[in-house]
Amino acid sequence: MKRTYECKYAGHTFIDVNDTSVTIRRKGMLNFINQGLKGAKLIPFSSISAIQLKKPGVVTSGYIQFSIAGGNESKGGLFDATTDENTVMFADKKTLKDMEELKSYIETKISELNNPVAKSNSLTGPEEIKQYKELLDQGILTQEEFEKKKNQILNL
């Protein structure tokens, strides 16, 4: 997955995500005032120890915060979050939906990193179909069950 999320709050902040990391890029005068000239921040998934998502309220903004192992993220709530380099602020419901999707994706990737055994034991599509074919040949599966699983694996 390679995607860019845009968060509009006191300027524009972009969150670029790929299969291994997240990058925070900030634009705009208020971002400059709050963050200075730090440039883009690349955070490998392997460095993220937690993700906090606060929903925007009627008069308050929301944010997504990436806690980094050994990092010093803000713990003072919304006000401190505006100056935390690992936090991205947002105000609208559409962005909230995007941030929920982003949080879920990153948590899945972190889980895969922390459980390499399960990942290495996963089969490729053809290998999985071959296993189901063997179950069919042994009479454990019906032809209909086999076809259903095969179509599911092949996304048909």
Side-chain angles (χ1 to χ4, degrees), residues 21-37:
S21 64
V22 62
T23 303
I24 301 171
R25 297 181 292 121
R26 301 178 194 278
K27 306 278 184 200
M29 183 55 89
L30 280 175
N31 273 326
F32 171 73
I33 291 169
N34 288 330
Q35 299 294 325
L37 291 171

Side-chain angles (χ1 to χ4, degrees), residues 90-148:
F90 60 90
D92 61 280
K93 300 277 188 213
K94 182 201 177 299
T95 305
L96 171 62
K97 186 176 178 184
D98 287 346
M99 294 301 102
E100 289 171 336
E101 174 187 292
L102 175 63
K103 181 179 185 279
S104 176
Y105 175 76
I106 293 172
E107 287 172 339
T108 299
K109 287 298 190 179
I110 290 170
S111 177
E112 289 173 3
L113 284 171
N114 292 332
N115 191 6
V117 173
K119 191 175 179 183
S120 67
N121 287 340
S122 63
L123 301 174
T124 64
E127 291 170 334
E128 196 172 355
I129 292 170
K130 183 178 178 185
Q131 279 192 343
Y132 284 111
K133 175 70 168 115
E134 289 171 4
L135 293 173
L136 172 67
D137 293 343
Q138 295 169 10
I140 297 171
L141 292 180
T142 66
Q143 184 68 37
E144 183 180 307
E145 291 170 325
F146 170 73
E147 291 297 328
K148 183 178 178 182

